Amino acid sequence: MAGSVNVDWLTCDIYDCNGICLDAGDKCLAHAEDEERDAALEQFAQTGKIDARGVTISNALVVKILDNVPCNPDGHALPLEVDFSWATFEGDALFSGATFQDAGFTKTTFQGDAAFLGVKFQGDAEFGQATFQGDALFLRATFEGNASFYEATFQGAAIFPDVRVHGAARFGAVRFQGDAGFAGATFQGAAVFAGSTFERAQQFGPLLAYESLNLDIVRFAQPVRIEVSTIWFCCRWARFPGGVQFRLRWASVVLDGTDIPAPSLLTGISFGASEELVSGEYQIARDWKQEYAGHVSEQPRLLSVQRANVAGLGLANVDLTDCRFSGAHNLDKLRLEADVAFRSSLAWVSWEQRQVIAEECAWRAGQTRSGRWANPWWHRPDPWMGSRTEPKVLAPGAIASLYRALRKSREDAKDEPGAADFYYGEMEMRRHEHRRADYGDGGSRGLADRGVLTAYWLVSGYGLRAWRALAWFAGITVAFAFAFHLVGFVRAPQPVTYWTSLLYSFRSTISLTDNDVTLTAWGQLLQALLRLTGPVLLGLALLAIRGRIKR
């Protein structure tokens, strides 16, 4: 309104009108006399340029403007240069098949429905802070430059089916009060929806983003399914109170600080939603593979859930080899479902391999110079994904806490074999924890504790490596048999050979005695030690076997 809004153009003489004056006269396009208006529209028909900033445009005026769109000899509309910033469209606004060289709709108000059907924007399209009070339909619209809807408000449905944006798509801080549809949309530049609110949307996508998709600080009030093919998917500090289903392809995913309290799922999908999207996806996938050699696959890669609330999140068909769990809340409730891949530990023998998390890999890579342990792939490609510095390497005590939470989630899912790997990792980190500084009191952990853990690891792999316990059992039996043969018998078993001593040593480990044998004092000590260590080692071996086959 005049006097209440500051504008940088000469406004109409009519009270309460902010419309820009025509070149000839002191009134805007809406309030000018018929002759002045017809002259302005005739000029528009010749040049394709019109400045209607702040003008209130009625249905009749919209018809007159569209009737004067310049055409080439073939009857096709020529590119337009229009500026409807601060304008108000009182009725429905239909732009069908139009081509805009430059289009300004900043702070424009559409009181009725707005339809841009098959429209082409050759330059940048500015819809920043625009208000769509009715439905907004951008069917098969093409934005050859940037498309900016920053802080726009869609009070009705906002539908962008099969839209193609060649430049950057900026939907930051947009408020979608009705349905929001982007089915079949293709974003060749970065697609940014940071800070937007979706009050009724239950479906986002399927869409293809060549560079990245940013959903930082978004809020979906309703349960939503997000289906996206992209190389970088950033969704930090977002809120999904009703739950979310992420259906992704190719993406490296960051979920730092995101709140997912309701049952939700992040899963990789093996096929696209439409042939057109799949065709575009495989064309750009060749470039992705060249640029990020060895780090790109159709299976999505989760890179971080730091400080996120993952109480309701389930993961399926997701690569977790480089995922950072540090600081995640309710990690013990994270559901690990089918085809979840972790990094495998290095081991001299294949059966010693186990699943390890990225935090342990980073710590071990910093402890050895042999190059056997590689740092996780924590590359950051874009400024909006955060600092390019490497994350801080955690101390063993903190890593043990992460393993403990993940182990509980596996145990709650009745996956005992899977939980065993996380238990092994937890115990390994406890064994390597030399100071209680990891827990905040700054004291020493103690040689006795480390000694017990080291012995437990060496003898049986924390009760998870049956072959170690059996190897120790066999070694002790053989060594004690040699000792029996030398100094253990007053009256030896017959015939007096090493093999009979070995048989006696074995029988002693399972507490079987021979009344015909008389032992020396040393022999009695050896027998007592065998009766103690033998059952313990056999018990540890059975425990390890049980842990691997338990359902």
Side-chain angles (χ1 to χ4, degrees):
M1 307 297 288
S4 63
V5 177
N6 293 322
V7 294
D8 57 357
W9 58 79
L10 185 62
T11 59
C12 179
D13 258 3
I14 301 298
Y15 178 72
D16 277 355
C17 179
N18 287 310
I20 187 171
C21 290
L22 296 177
D23 292 339
D26 54 6
K27 293 183 176 61
C28 68
L29 188 64
H31 296 115
E33 300 295 335
D34 290 342
E35 293 182 1
E36 294 177 352
R37 184 186 303 113
D38 291 343
L41 293 176
E42 183 178 353
Q43 184 180 10
F44 170 59
Q46 295 173 357
T47 64
K49 299 180 180 180
I50 189 170
D51 188 348
R53 287 175 289 175
V55 176
T56 299
I57 303 175
S58 64
N59 280 340
L61 184 54
V62 169
V63 172
K64 289 183 178 181
I65 292 174
L66 295 179
D67 285 344
N68 285 276
V69 171
C71 298
N72 60 22
D74 296 331
H76 295 94
L78 295 176
L80 308 178
E81 296 183 27
V82 300
D83 193 344
F84 292 107
S85 301
W86 295 83
T88 298
F89 289 83
E90 290 183 328
D92 296 338
L94 172 61
F95 298 89
S96 179
T99 299
F100 295 94
Q101 178 65 40
D102 291 301
F105 291 89
T106 302
K107 295 188 177 181
T108 301
T109 299
F110 297 88
Q111 294 181 347
D113 295 338
F116 294 81
L117 309 180
V119 169
K120 178 183 292 186
F121 298 90
Q122 293 182 345
D124 293 342
E126 295 290 339
F127 287 85
Q129 297 182 322
T131 300
F132 297 84
Q133 296 179 358
D135 295 338
L137 176 61
F138 289 78
L139 175 62
R140 291 190 176 275
T142 300
F143 298 83
E144 295 184 355
N146 300 322
S148 177
F149 289 82
Y150 183 74
E151 290 187 345
T153 299
F154 294 89
Q155 297 178 3
I159 310 299
F160 293 78
D162 300 317
V163 165
R164 179 176 288 271
V165 183
H166 292 218
R170 304 186 181 100
F171 287 82
V174 174
R175 186 174 182 181
F176 297 92
Q177 296 179 353
D179 293 333
F182 291 86
T186 299
F187 302 102
Q188 295 187 9
V192 181
F193 290 79
S196 294
T197 300
F198 297 81
E199 297 183 6
R200 293 179 54 188
Q202 298 182 353
Q203 173 80 25
F204 185 83
L207 60 83
L208 171 62
Y210 283 23
E211 289 188 9
S212 58
L213 176 64
N214 187 331
L215 294 183
D216 285 350
I217 327 177
V218 300
R219 181 182 183 273
F220 284 85
Q222 303 294 325
V224 62
R225 183 171 73 172
I226 298 176
E227 188 168 333
V228 177
S229 294
T230 187
I231 188 64
W232 294 106
F233 179 68
C234 193
C235 187
R236 300 176 301 179
W237 304 103
R239 290 183 293 166
F240 300 94
V244 58
Q245 184 179 141
F246 295 105
R247 294 168 54 83
L248 307 175
R249 284 167 57 79
W250 304 99
S252 293
V253 185
V254 178
L255 296 180
D256 290 352
T258 293
D259 184 23
I260 310 177
S264 304
L265 180 66
L266 191 158
T267 182
I269 55 177
S270 57
F271 55 87
S274 69
E275 293 184 2
E276 185 175 352
L277 282 183
V278 170
S279 176
E281 175 185 318
Y282 277 101
Q283 290 178 6
I284 190 63
R286 290 195 293 267
D287 296 333
W288 290 339
K289 291 179 179 178
Q290 291 178 0
E291 186 173 358
Y292 305 104
H295 297 285
V296 175
S297 69
E298 295 182 28
Q299 185 184 47
R301 176 194 299 264
L302 182 58
L303 293 182
S304 179
V305 291
Q306 294 183 110
R307 300 175 298 281
N309 175 17
V310 296
L313 184 61
L315 303 176
N317 191 25
V318 178
D319 185 349
L320 298 178
T321 55
D322 299 307
C323 184
R324 285 167 281 159
F325 296 98
S326 173
H329 303 284
N330 295 305
L331 192 57
D332 59 323
K333 298 179 181 179
L334 178 68
R335 303 188 314 278
L336 302 177
E337 301 180 3
D339 298 325
V340 176
F342 284 88
R343 191 182 296 267
S344 294
S345 66
L346 297 177
W348 297 112
V349 288
S350 60
W351 57 83
E352 283 273 333
Q353 289 184 345
R354 58 184 172 87
Q355 297 180 95
V356 296
I357 61 176
E359 281 85 354
E360 181 182 351
C361 294
W363 178 81
R364 289 189 180 274
Q367 299 298 308
T368 177
R369 298 181 180 178
S370 64
R372 295 182 64 242
W373 287 86
N375 272 310
W377 190 65
W378 288 344
H379 175 63
R380 298 175 181 268
D382 291 303
W384 53 262
M385 292 191 71
S387 170
R388 292 178 180 271
T389 59
E390 292 291 339
K392 180 181 178 181
V393 177
L394 298 183
I399 301 173
S401 298
L402 298 179
Y403 271 122
R404 189 176 304 115
L406 290 170
R407 171 172 61 86
K408 186 178 183 301
S409 71
R410 285 287 200 185
E411 290 173 345
D412 291 344
K414 308 302 181 185
D415 182 9
E416 295 292 341
D421 280 352
F422 292 144
Y423 174 72
Y424 194 102
E426 175 189 349
M427 298 299 289
E428 274 288 272
M429 293 297 97
R430 288 180 59 191
R431 181 169 69 90
H432 288 290
E433 178 198 357
H434 294 298
R435 296 185 61 81
R436 288 193 183 273
D438 300 335
Y439 294 97
D441 61 9
S444 173
R445 180 167 186 85
L447 293 175
D449 287 347
R450 295 203 302 272
V452 170
L453 290 174
T454 301
Y456 192 25
W457 162 75
L458 188 63
V459 169
S460 65
Y462 310 113
L464 297 173
R465 301 293 184 258
W467 75 270
R468 290 195 192 184
L470 292 175
W472 276 99
F473 178 83
I476 289 175
T477 301
V478 170
F480 276 44
F482 185 74
F484 273 123
H485 188 67
L486 292 180
V487 297
F489 299 121
V490 174
R491 185 171 60 194
Q494 301 298 319
V496 182
T497 65
Y498 173 76
W499 298 109
T500 56
S501 298
L502 180 62
L503 179 60
Y504 182 83
S505 178
F506 175 74
R507 288 163 59 87
S508 295
T509 60
I510 53 178
S511 299
L512 296 178
T513 59
D514 192 337
N515 294 329
D516 296 332
V517 176
T518 303
L519 299 176
T520 64
W522 282 107
Q524 292 176 12
L525 176 61
L526 294 173
Q527 186 183 61
L529 292 175
L530 277 175
R531 287 181 176 180
L532 177 64
T533 57
V536 170
L537 291 172
L538 287 175
L540 289 173
L542 293 175
L543 177 65
I545 294 172
R546 174 60 174 163
R548 286 299 179 184
I549 64 176
K550 185 178 180 181
R551 293 185 294 175

